[in-house]
Amino acid sequence: MKTNKMIINWSWREIWTGQLWPVMVALTLIIACVVALSTLALRVEKVMTNQGRALLAADLVMRSSNPISPSLVDKAEAAGLTISSQSRFQTMAFSEKKLQLVTVKSVETSYPLRGALNLRDGNEVVTHEVKPGELWLSPRLFSILETEIGDSIAIGDAELTITGVIDDEPELAYNPFNSIPNLFIHSSDLDKTGAIQVGSRVRYRLFLNGDLTSLAAFQESYELQPGESWVDQNRESRAARLMDKAKQYLSLTILMVILMAAVTLILTCLHYVRNRSETVSMLKSMGASRAWVRSWLTTQVLIMFAVAFVLGGSLGLLLEYLLRIPLAGILPKELPSVGAQPFIFAIGVALCIGLPALLIPLTRLLDAPAINVIQKQAVQYSKKSWWLLLLPLTALAMFYGTNIQVWMVLIGLLVLFVVLASLSFKFLKLISKLKWNAAFSLALSRISRSPKNSMMQLAALSGSLMLVALIWLIKSDLLGDWQQTLAPDAPNVFSINISPEDQPNYLKELDKFELPRSDAFAIIRGRITKIREQNTTDLAIYEDPEIRILKREVNFTWMDQLPVYNEVVAGEWTGEKTVSVEVEVAEELGIKLGDEMTFEVNSQPFTATVNSFRAVEWQSLKPNFVFIFSKDAVADLPATWMVSFRAEENQTIFVNQLARLYPTVTLLDLRTMASKVQGLLRQISWSLTGLAALGVLAGILLIFTLLRLSLNERKREITLYRTLGASKKRISNTLWAEYGLLALSGGFVAAIAAEIILFGLMTWSFELPTQWHPMMFIVLPLLAVLVVFISLSTVIKALLKPLR
């Protein structure tokens, strides 16, 4: 018992005084980062999943152009799934004064299965379900039809009394070209309307709730018929893409922080083994057995892991809370629980990295011979513990097997470190041939004499700086792209269905109110019928469920000049009866420059030749089109007009005045939605900035540790210089020159490597435009010099102290 207590006490003392405390700090950092980031990622993912299901009104939705089969409903009920159905169609609604085309949603009382349906009656009482005999209108219909709650509306053959207003509903999606207001009736009242006849265009939906296993089994057991499709929360959307990029960045940052902490672990352990080899030899010469030494080293490892688990877990929870503060506005008050998964994951990561990083070097101490106390012996170290390297490699393959970002970073690290560090070393060796003062000459001479150590130092220093730069640059480029997607001056109000007669005066009114606006765009609804004189229905891609543009109507427009915010990536906007095509659609349909395409509008066919391809940013709120024609191709076809403009909150009076002056124009006010999206971007920005700062701190800790370990290994060399007559000033100047040159060279190499890997990540992983960062070639060398200055300042006095 006394022996065990002595081992524990000695192990504690050895950790704090024997250079093992950075190992414990690195382990704590790994666990804290993994706990914090994985907890946050799991919470956000669960919230997004719940919100996605709320937008769908269910866990899973079947959409069909045909009535839902009763046998399918029976099968769903037999599988233990909760169901609800909906029929939706467009028809005319008549009040005593007005008429309006509306979208009727006929739902059951159980609708929605997910999400919020808030309905407010005339007594301001809010209910959440549609009952038989009720009629609920969207707010816009009250002003269009000039009605109030309690009035009667005719829908087909049925006269229904308005029950109240729809305050909030699921299934909302932004589409400025589909702005028909909607209303709710109960499914039991559908037959009364007589609105659905043979040939009517009706869309049917079956909403299903249940556990993931049951839903997946139900989907698997049913073969979709023509006109049917499944929709779940994983279907791509603007918000999903944005958050997906954020999660990719989260995953990449976790990996980089782990990499830097792992390098800190390895370097510190190797340094500890070199420094403690003589101590272990002395203990053996005094009678310590191999088993006792193993027990002593094992106790140190267990203490470090235990302390790291406790401190890292607690610090991780605190860090996750701090990272969550900027997201308070978009996350629900009651966050979903994540259980013990982040802690188990963090412990697994720490063990996979820590065990090989610690045990492989420490087992070398077991082989240190007792005779080393008298005379240094060449030792053949055992390689039995090298199997531990399979732990991180297996874990990496399991978790990141298909993640292109991770392998891009790892391969980039290996290749660029070797290539660029070699070039940097050769450059330093080349300049050593020039004439320098004594300090620089000695520094360059030492770098040239120790190619292995110098290459290792350059690789580690430039690698750490590169990871720091990548974390910050990816964050900056991601946020920059998102902010450009929804610029502060982006249009937030759309005017649609402007008649050709009203268009000139409408634009004059906007200019009179001094509202910044876009150009006016003609809107023509049509279909693609032929590509290179081949019917689209005969194309192989026509049956591809992912390519829907051939089966539906598309919005066409014509312009004299292409929009300045559309980049022409191929071809030229010239010629008669021509069309410019969005580049991704062109790739999907196999369209090439010079191809002749046939289109149809109201049964009127016309042809146009493809003269250019455009890159379109669909996430922006600017008017964008797949097909833009030259005026001579479509100008004679029937069209309405649209224009977008920006109105601030204090200009609402002008927006309302426009609505009164032009009652037939549909006004789509997106100011609330736009401000929410901009707020979301700001909140994500703060979270990613905090995350990036954490990664940068981890990198600086690694660089600081690396330099201190390197300097501590120079004690004997400095003693030799002093013995040979070198002055303290000469030694000090030589150290400053050597590490200054390494810092400048490593910083420059890191900037080149960061730019190369960033280009690959942005191009093939994040799929965002790339840009050049010339400031990195100044910032990284200066950051390296600053860290070198701090590191050298903290140890140089101790290094020179024995020489006084």
Side-chain angles (χ1 to χ4, degrees):
M1 188 73 177
K2 187 179 288 187
T3 303
N4 291 338
K5 187 176 180 181
M6 182 187 72
I7 290 177
I8 292 172
N9 290 336
W10 198 5
S11 297
W12 267 112
R13 194 180 309 115
E14 186 67 15
I15 290 171
W16 291 112
T17 61
Q19 298 298 322
L20 275 179
W21 65 267
V23 174
M24 197 159 62
V25 171
L27 279 173
T28 302
L29 184 64
I30 290 174
I31 294 170
C33 288
V34 174
V35 167
L37 302 182
S38 57
T39 301
L40 183 63
L42 284 171
R43 287 195 201 278
V44 171
E45 188 171 4
K46 286 189 175 183
V47 169
M48 285 179 61
T49 300
N50 293 338
Q51 288 178 345
R53 290 174 175 175
L55 288 174
L56 292 174
D59 294 343
L60 179 67
V61 181
M62 169 180 273
R63 292 181 179 176
S64 176
S65 55
N66 302 307
I68 303 296
S69 166
S71 62
L72 181 63
V73 174
D74 294 339
K75 189 175 181 180
E77 290 177 337
L81 302 175
T82 307
I83 62 169
S84 183
S85 62
Q86 178 195 94
S87 305
R88 60 167 68 185
F89 57 92
Q90 293 174 359
T91 188
M92 297 301 296
F94 300 86
S95 70
E96 292 184 0
K97 299 178 182 179
K98 298 281 185 179
L99 70 158
Q100 172 65 32
L101 180 66
V102 297
T103 297
V104 178
K105 294 183 179 181
S106 168
V107 299
E108 297 177 338
T109 305
S110 57
Y111 174 88
L113 301 182
R114 297 280 187 197
L117 176 63
N118 296 323
L119 309 169
R120 179 168 44 87
D121 63 17
N123 298 320
E124 300 297 320
V125 176
V126 177
T127 186
H128 307 289
E129 58 186 31
V130 179
K131 297 175 182 176
E134 293 183 341
L135 171 64
W136 301 89
L137 271 60
S138 63
R140 195 151 57 93
L141 271 176
F142 285 92
S143 58
I144 294 173
L145 296 175
E146 296 184 8
T147 58
E148 296 178 355
I149 294 175
D151 292 347
S152 293
I153 296 288
I155 300 173
D157 300 331
E159 287 274 346
L160 298 171
T161 302
I162 301 173
T163 311
V165 62
I166 305 168
D167 280 342
D168 198 10
E169 61 175 305
E171 298 187 279
L172 282 177
Y174 162 64
N175 183 353
F177 302 112
N178 184 20
S179 56
I180 300 172
N182 62 285
L183 55 84
F184 280 108
I185 64 172
H186 194 269
S187 56
S188 61
D189 299 318
L190 180 60
D191 291 338
K192 298 177 186 177
T193 66
I196 298 180
Q197 303 293 333
V198 176
S200 296
R201 188 177 178 182
V202 186
R203 289 165 291 171
Y204 301 91
R205 298 189 179 188
L206 180 65
F207 301 98
L208 304 113
N209 266 18
D211 61 82
L212 292 176
T213 305
S214 300
L215 289 171
F218 181 70
Q219 274 185 276
E220 198 69 33
S221 65
Y222 181 75
E223 183 178 350
L224 289 173
Q225 304 301 311
E228 295 179 342
S229 63
W230 294 111
V231 181
D232 60 22
Q233 79 278 358
N234 294 320
R235 184 162 178 169
E236 189 172 333
S237 68
R238 182 182 293 116
R241 286 195 299 269
L242 186 148
M243 294 305 292
D244 185 55
K245 300 291 188 221
K247 287 198 290 185
Q248 286 181 31
Y249 178 77
L250 199 70
S251 174
L252 197 59
T253 304
I254 291 175
L255 176 70
M256 290 184 181
V257 170
I258 290 172
L259 277 175
M260 290 186 286
V263 174
T264 305
L265 276 176
I266 294 167
L267 292 174
T268 309
C269 286
L270 289 173
H271 175 73
Y272 174 78
V273 168
R274 283 193 293 268
N275 283 354
R276 282 294 181 268
S277 180
E278 291 183 2
T279 304
V280 172
S281 296
M282 183 184 68
L283 289 171
K284 285 186 175 181
S285 68
M286 297 172 65
S289 65
R290 185 183 179 89
W292 188 93
V293 174
R294 182 186 290 111
S295 175
W296 175 52
L297 295 176
T298 303
T299 304
Q300 293 180 40
V301 172
L302 291 175
I303 289 174
M304 286 189 291
F305 269 104
V307 173
F309 289 155
V310 175
L311 290 180
S314 304
L315 186 61
L317 290 177
L318 175 63
L319 186 60
E320 189 266 340
Y321 173 77
L322 295 175
L323 288 173
R324 200 173 358 113
I325 289 175
L327 297 174
I330 57 172
L331 293 177
K333 290 183 179 179
E334 293 186 11
L335 291 172
S337 173
V338 294
Q341 186 177 344
F343 295 94
I344 296 171
F345 180 54
I347 291 171
V349 170
L351 289 173
C352 286
I353 294 172
L355 287 178
L358 285 167
L359 296 184
I360 292 176
L362 290 178
T363 50
R364 290 187 175 188
L365 288 178
L366 296 176
D367 297 326
I371 198 170
N372 270 2
V373 177
I374 303 172
Q375 185 180 1
K376 286 281 185 183
Q377 299 288 320
V379 182
Q380 188 68 34
Y381 293 111
S382 172
K383 296 183 180 180
K384 291 180 181 179
S385 58
W386 280 45
W387 67 269
L388 290 167
L389 290 173
L390 292 174
L391 287 176
L393 293 176
T394 305
L396 198 64
M398 287 175 59
F399 285 100
Y400 295 108
T402 58
N403 193 320
I404 189 172
Q405 298 167 310
V406 171
W407 298 109
M408 201 176 290
V409 170
L410 292 177
I411 293 171
L413 283 173
L414 292 173
V415 174
L416 289 172
F417 284 176
V418 174
V419 174
L420 295 178
S422 300
L423 290 175
S424 182
F425 176 75
K426 287 181 180 179
F427 172 74
L428 290 175
K429 195 169 182 179
L430 184 65
I431 65 172
S432 67
K433 297 178 180 179
L434 302 176
K435 277 196 172 185
W436 300 94
N437 62 28
F440 275 93
S441 296
L442 279 173
L444 289 167
S445 173
R446 189 192 179 281
I447 292 172
S448 300
R449 286 197 321 272
S450 309
K452 184 179 177 182
N453 287 339
S454 299
M455 288 278 289
M456 289 271 294
Q457 288 176 347
L458 276 171
L461 182 60
S462 59
S464 307
L465 288 167
M466 188 208 73
L467 291 174
V468 168
L470 276 178
I471 289 172
W472 196 261
L473 289 177
I474 294 172
K475 185 272 302 183
S476 301
D477 284 4
L478 275 179
L479 296 178
D481 179 76
W482 293 341
Q483 294 293 356
Q484 286 175 10
T485 294
L486 191 59
D489 59 348
N492 52 18
V493 183
F494 284 77
S495 298
I496 306 166
N497 298 328
I498 307 171
S499 67
E501 296 78 17
D502 288 338
Q503 187 247 31
N505 292 329
Y506 197 91
L507 296 181
K508 287 180 182 178
E509 290 293 334
L510 287 175
D511 294 338
K512 186 178 77 174
F513 294 145
E514 296 183 351
L515 297 172
R517 66 173 177 86
S518 68
D519 294 330
F521 295 87
I523 305 298
I524 305 165
R525 298 283 290 175
R527 292 178 178 273
I528 313 166
T529 57
K530 292 182 180 181
I531 299 175
R532 294 184 293 273
E533 298 186 355
Q534 185 178 6
N535 291 330
T536 54
T537 52
D538 297 334
L539 297 173
I541 56 174
Y542 187 82
E543 300 301 328
D544 190 335
E546 296 298 319
I547 301 177
R548 297 186 289 272
I549 194 168
L550 298 178
K551 303 182 184 71
R552 62 178 177 85
E553 287 191 334
V554 187
N555 294 301
F556 303 151
T557 193
W558 60 264
M559 298 187 71
D560 293 324
Q561 297 295 330
L562 295 177
V564 293
Y565 47 83
N566 282 185
E567 179 189 357
V568 177
V569 295
E572 197 174 351
W573 180 244
T574 56
E576 296 179 353
K577 292 191 175 182
T578 53
V579 61
S580 178
V581 186
E582 194 271 334
V583 65
E584 291 185 3
V585 170
E587 290 173 357
E588 282 183 353
L589 303 183
I591 299 171
K592 295 180 172 55
L593 292 175
D595 284 354
E596 186 178 89
M597 300 182 67
T598 303
F599 304 88
E600 188 177 279
V601 174
N602 292 339
S603 300
Q604 299 180 47
F606 66 95
T607 60
T609 302
V610 178
N611 68 359
S612 60
F613 298 142
R614 292 167 293 111
V616 175
E617 181 53 73
W618 294 108
Q619 294 180 353
S620 70
L621 289 180
K622 297 175 181 177
N624 281 306
F625 300 86
V626 175
F627 299 101
I628 299 179
F629 295 85
S630 58
K631 185 176 180 179
D632 58 341
V634 295
D636 295 333
L637 295 171
T640 59
W641 290 78
M642 73 161 288
V643 65
S644 63
F645 58 92
R646 182 166 187 83
E648 305 300 338
E649 289 301 322
N650 58 3
Q651 295 176 310
T652 302
I653 186 172
F654 300 141
V655 178
N656 293 338
Q657 192 172 338
L658 274 171
R660 286 192 296 269
L661 287 172
Y662 298 91
T664 59
V665 174
T666 300
L667 217 65
L668 193 61
D669 191 343
L670 304 177
R671 284 178 290 178
T672 301
M673 187 198 78
S675 62
K676 284 184 177 180
V677 173
Q678 286 177 329
L680 170 67
L681 290 176
R682 282 194 297 270
Q683 289 161 336
I684 292 178
S685 173
W686 276 106
S687 289
L688 293 192
T689 301
L691 191 59
L694 178 68
V696 169
L697 287 175
I700 292 174
L701 173 66
L702 169 58
I703 298 167
F704 186 74
T705 304
L706 166 71
L707 292 170
R708 283 183 63 91
L709 294 179
S710 174
L711 287 164
N712 283 330
E713 290 176 0
R714 302 290 297 278
K715 286 182 179 178
R716 290 186 178 180
E717 188 177 336
I718 290 170
T719 304
L720 177 61
Y721 282 155
R722 193 71 174 105
T723 304
L724 295 174
S727 65
K728 186 175 73 172
K729 184 178 180 181
R730 173 64 57 82
I731 295 172
S732 176
N733 290 342
T734 302
L735 288 174
W736 283 111
E738 179 185 342
Y739 283 93
L741 287 169
L742 287 174
L744 289 171
S745 180
F748 188 74
V749 166
I752 297 174
E755 287 288 356
I756 293 173
I757 294 183
L758 186 66
F759 176 84
L761 287 172
M762 287 295 163
T763 303
W764 294 296
S765 183
F766 288 101
E767 297 179 352
L768 294 175
T770 57
Q771 55 182 308
W772 178 247
H773 305 88
M775 282 300 295
M776 278 298 104
F777 290 87
I778 299 174
V779 172
L780 285 185
L782 289 179
L783 176 63
V785 170
L786 177 63
V787 177
V788 163
F789 175 79
I790 296 171
S791 303
L792 201 50
S793 298
T794 59
V795 297
I796 196 165
K797 288 184 179 179
L799 289 174
L800 299 177
K801 187 176 180 181
L803 306 180
R804 291 177 182 172

